[in-house]
Amino acid sequence: MADSLICIEHVSKAYRRDSLQIPVLADIDLTIDTGEFIALMGPSGSGKTTLLNLLAGIDTPTKGRITIDRRVISSMRETELARWRADHIGFIFQLYNLIPVLTAFENVELPLLLTRLSRQERQVHVRTALAIVGLSDRADHYPRQLSGGQEQRVAIARAIVADPVILVADEPTGDLDARSAGEILDLLNRLNTEHHKTIVMVTHDPRAAARAHRMLHLDKGVLSVEEPAAALDRSRDGR
Amino acid sequence: MKYFRFIWKNVFRKKSRAFLTMASIVLVLVLIVVLSSLLEALDYDTGRTKGAANVVVQHATGLGNFMPLAYRQKIEQIPGVVAVAPQIWFGGIYIDEKPQNFFGQLSTDPQVWAVVHDDYTIPPDQLKTWQSERDSFVAGKQLIDRFHWTIGQRIQVRGTYIPGTIDLVLRGVYTGPDESNIFFHNKYLENSFLGRLERTGIFYLRTEAPEKVPGVCDAINKMFENSDAPVKAMPEKQFMLQFTEMMGDVKLLFRSIALTVLFTVVLIVANTMAMSARERVTQIAVIRALGFRRSHVLMLVLSEAIVLALLGGVAGALGSFPFMWGLIGIIKHTPVAMFAYNLKISLATLLTAFTAAVGIGVLAGFVPAIRSSRISIVDGLRRVA
């Protein structure tokens, strides 16, 4: 457990709505090793996104401890957590969430504004990230001038530009057609295998989950099933 | 500086809204620059001009009452007095009563006119001709341009409170701080009831130096304080300010207007910024997720408001110049034309305008910036999900 990249210990999360306490996650234990590609599945409201938010450091657990790369992020103060996110986490959202007034280049450059890199150094990083996702020729395009698949690739370039250890993806293919979804999954696979990114992906799509090394099931806040993605693939094919 | 492009692009995210908001700031800034310049013109220190050594003497109860002409010799005896010219405001009608035909008509003593009005310039031959012809007059250059008068032209001005019509021939053109008047001989009014009463409206006099003005004023006031017609002697600037004071507390009015519109535009810009911030809750949540801190968001939203206000401020400051030139053109044709010569946009006024613009930005952007910085990342992202 000590050598794991992500270590979640007895983590619970509950939200307050007025006087009501709504439990979302209950006593979760999970470890994820460096270079793993994890698919997190489960029905709506099962707590997948909440678990993703917790390990990405944009939410804090009600109970338990989250350690990432030997640092306990669950007890970090907000400012410290923001710095940590900028250095360690790349976000990929279902609806891409690009800034509409910025070009693809400027969108990808955003996380680098938080670094001490010079303008020239930032340009090199951005061009490299855009090249990895295959959009070097679309650097000056605005999000509205791109297809959904291209927007998601720009979002992935933004996620990897600061070279984070972990990529968290919340239904990255949820808003894409089958072909674009396949391209995005190929890209995630490549980032995992060639660039050694640890990926945690929330998805409803069994085909997307099949790309992962491990598939985790969440149901009513309980991490109840854990099985290899390949098993799902076999069951789908009836083998 | 690396955030500037991001700030700039967000300012113009909704172009029409940004331009309309800027337009409101431009209007306010023009108003502030003009009102500040007017206040400066009213406060203009005549100590910087030749007219600073001039004194005006009027009846203690006001301009409606006249003083004995015999006071002139007594005033001339006061140490420090160089020359004294009795003057009467004729207040007649030229052509008709339309405002564009209005101008000041003053009777004076042409022999000392050039001495007491040492800040006016007139060709010596024209002055000499005017002094020698009882029915002649001189006019300011601005009036000549306005009415296209030529030397030798006759004009008739119908009296109002002084009965009768004066029929005068133009013999000279003067230039100076106030070119909106004509001057003609006191002798022309000798046959009027004022002439027969040997009274005058004011004494316009020049002292040896600006430093002599307070002493001369005191001496004149004391000299006639127990007479049947006590007087009030005052520096020329104070005399001119009486006319603006007649309109009430002009400065207070100007300042109240400026503050009211300033407050209104702060509300307008604040509303724009609040709308803009509300529309970008998800965007703010995304950049916070990427690692931007609350202080970054606060700085970005506040900077947007300040950039918007500063752009409006620059446009407003530049736009106020043509507006001011137009205003000066109009004032030059009014009885308070002398203020037009002091009316200009000073560096201090421009700095005031820029400070106001920054103030608008900070005040209007503060609350939306605070609110934006407090957006929860999870709640902001959930709005799309």
Side-chain angles (χ1 to χ4, degrees):
Chain A
M1 193 175 260
D3 293 334
S4 300
L5 178 67
I6 301 170
C7 184
I8 297 173
E9 298 167 272
H10 306 296
V11 163
S12 298
K13 178 71 183 176
Y15 289 111
R16 285 191 76 86
R17 288 285 179 269
D18 301 320
S19 59
L20 286 175
Q21 186 93 350
I22 302 165
V24 182
L25 295 175
D27 199 30
I28 301 283
D29 281 306
L30 173 67
T31 57
I32 298 170
D33 292 335
T34 303
E36 267 201 284
F37 186 168
I38 302 292
L40 196 52
M41 294 191 77
S44 296
S46 60
K48 305 183 297 292
T49 300
T50 301
L51 181 58
L52 196 73
N53 290 342
L54 290 175
L55 64 88
I58 58 173
D59 205 352
T60 49
T62 314
K63 277 187 202 164
R65 193 164 84 145
I66 300 173
T67 311
I68 295 179
D69 203 14
R70 295 191 184 88
R71 293 191 68 188
V72 181
I73 66 159
S74 48
S75 58
M76 279 184 187
R77 284 178 300 130
E78 199 178 86
T79 308
E80 196 182 355
L81 207 48
R83 284 201 190 97
W84 176 85
R85 278 198 304 272
D87 292 339
H88 292 81
I89 302 289
F91 284 91
I92 303 163
F93 304 98
Q94 180 182 355
L95 294 176
Y96 335 126
N97 285 341
L98 299 178
I99 310 295
V101 292
L102 301 182
T103 62
F105 185 97
E106 291 162 345
N107 265 290
V108 176
E109 191 187 19
L110 262 182
L112 298 181
L113 296 180
L114 299 167
T115 67
R116 291 184 178 180
L117 294 175
S118 68
R119 196 176 172 189
Q120 286 73 22
E121 288 169 328
R122 292 202 302 270
Q123 282 183 347
V124 171
H125 280 73
V126 173
R127 295 205 185 285
T128 306
L130 283 171
I132 290 171
V133 300
L135 283 178
S136 297
D137 56 337
R138 301 297 170 112
D140 296 328
H141 287 223
Y142 285 91
R144 64 178 181 277
Q145 297 167 323
L146 300 170
S147 68
Q150 288 170 331
E151 278 195 76
Q152 191 61 295
R153 278 149 69 189
V154 173
I156 292 172
R158 181 179 66 185
I160 62 172
V161 73
D163 197 22
V165 186
I166 302 163
L167 294 182
V168 293
D170 194 354
E171 301 197 43
T173 57
D175 206 49
L176 297 174
D177 58 57
R179 187 180 163 194
S180 300
E183 287 172 1
I184 293 300
L185 291 169
D186 288 344
L187 181 56
L188 290 177
N189 264 130
R190 199 149 55 83
L191 291 171
N192 177 241
T193 55
E194 294 175 19
H195 299 273
H196 315 295
K197 300 295 174 198
T198 303
I199 301 175
V200 182
M201 175 178 70
V202 163
T203 184
H204 279 114
D205 182 0
R207 283 171 301 179
R211 304 286 191 110
H213 303 150
R214 264 202 298 166
M215 189 175 70
L216 308 178
H217 270 286
L218 256 178
D219 195 10
K220 293 178 183 168
V222 179
L223 200 60
S224 56
V225 182
E226 189 170 343
E227 63 183 59
L232 179 80
D233 214 17
R234 282 197 296 277
S235 69
R236 188 195 60 188
D237 294 342
R239 282 181 281 158
Chain B
M1 212 49 202
K2 61 185 172 183
Y3 297 106
F4 186 74
R5 192 168 41 179
F6 186 41
I7 293 165
W8 181 265
K9 288 196 164 186
N10 270 318
V11 168
F12 292 102
R13 203 169 59 87
K14 302 259 182 186
K15 286 190 178 61
S16 51
R17 186 168 66 193
F19 282 115
L20 284 172
T21 309
M22 273 199 316
S24 65
I25 298 169
V26 168
L27 286 176
V28 168
L29 265 288
V30 167
L31 191 68
I32 286 174
V33 169
V34 170
L35 291 181
S36 299
S37 301
L38 281 170
L39 286 173
E40 273 189 13
L42 292 175
D43 281 338
Y44 188 72
D45 182 7
T46 50
R48 288 173 289 183
T49 69
K50 287 182 177 180
N54 289 342
V55 169
V56 179
V57 183
Q58 66 172 58
H59 195 285
T61 56
L63 285 167
N65 291 316
F66 283 53
M67 299 165 289
L69 207 51
Y71 282 6
R72 179 180 185 178
Q73 285 74 28
K74 292 180 181 174
I75 294 170
E76 283 172 341
Q77 300 307 312
I78 293 172
V81 173
V82 175
V84 181
Q87 292 188 346
I88 294 173
W89 175 263
F90 185 67
I93 297 165
Y94 176 64
I95 303 175
D96 55 33
E97 292 187 42
K98 288 178 183 167
Q100 61 264 36
N101 290 325
F102 177 81
F103 56 88
Q105 308 119 25
L106 289 149
S107 74
T108 187
D109 179 353
Q111 303 305 322
V112 295
W113 180 86
V115 180
V116 294
H117 291 285
D118 65 332
D119 44 356
Y120 288 176
T121 307
I122 187 169
D125 57 323
Q126 291 183 2
L127 178 65
K128 202 171 175 184
T129 311
W130 175 44
Q131 287 170 336
S132 63
E133 292 181 21
R134 183 180 157 134
D135 65 341
S136 65
F137 76 103
V138 291
K141 172 84 169 50
Q142 178 248 310
L143 274 188
I144 300 293
D145 295 340
R146 189 165 130 203
F147 293 111
H148 309 293
W149 291 334
T150 52
I151 298 290
Q153 182 173 340
R154 295 201 82 87
I155 65 163
Q156 287 79 40
V157 182
R158 185 159 39 92
T160 49
Y161 76 102
I162 300 175
T165 297
I166 51 174
D167 185 0
L168 305 168
V169 59
L170 179 64
R171 289 300 183 208
V173 180
Y174 70 85
T175 54
D178 181 5
E179 298 174 353
S180 65
N181 298 314
I182 68 165
F183 291 91
F184 61 98
H185 285 244
N186 275 331
K187 286 177 185 170
Y188 197 94
L189 296 177
E190 272 180 1
N191 291 329
S192 71
F193 77 95
L194 278 172
R196 287 193 296 275
L197 288 172
E198 296 214 320
R199 290 187 167 258
T200 188
I202 61 167
F203 290 106
Y204 192 79
L205 56 103
R206 189 160 79 81
T207 62
E208 289 167 354
E211 305 83 68
K212 299 277 184 184
V213 167
V216 167
C217 287
D218 285 346
I220 294 171
N221 289 334
K222 278 183 186 159
M223 184 177 277
F224 304 110
E225 65 184 353
N226 294 318
S227 68
D228 290 342
V231 301
K232 184 180 173 188
M234 66 197 100
E236 183 186 356
K237 179 192 168 191
Q238 190 184 335
F239 176 74
M240 294 309 295
L241 280 177
Q242 287 186 126
F243 298 102
T244 51
E245 282 167 4
M246 282 176 194
M247 293 184 281
D249 196 339
V250 178
K251 289 180 187 175
L252 181 65
L253 181 70
F254 283 2
R255 289 194 179 110
S256 303
I257 292 170
L259 280 174
T260 305
V261 292
L262 201 61
F263 181 67
T264 309
V265 87
V266 165
L267 294 182
I268 292 170
V269 180
N271 187 44
T272 303
M273 292 313 301
M275 272 198 290
S276 175
R278 271 199 302 273
E279 290 164 1
R280 288 183 292 155
V281 168
T282 305
Q283 178 182 316
I284 289 163
V286 168
I287 64 167
R288 293 262 288 113
L290 295 180
F292 283 67
R293 296 190 290 278
R294 286 187 193 277
S295 56
H296 283 121
V297 174
L298 183 86
M299 180 271 291
L300 289 170
V301 177
L302 194 58
S303 300
E304 283 174 33
I306 292 172
V307 166
L308 189 69
L310 268 178
L311 286 173
V314 171
L318 292 175
S320 61
F321 279 92
F323 192 87
M324 185 64 86
W325 296 330
L327 188 67
I328 288 170
I330 293 167
I331 292 180
K332 276 185 176 177
H333 295 87
T334 68
V336 289
M338 73 171 293
F339 288 116
Y341 295 90
N342 299 330
L343 200 52
K344 55 179 182 287
I345 299 172
S346 67
L347 185 64
T349 301
L350 284 178
L351 285 174
T352 305
F354 281 119
T355 309
V358 174
I360 289 169
V362 171
L363 286 174
F366 190 69
V367 173
I370 290 278
R371 282 189 176 169
S372 298
S373 71
R374 287 181 180 167
I375 288 171
S376 146
I377 304 175
V378 173
D379 290 343
L381 291 176
R382 198 176 286 152
R383 289 205 180 193
V384 222

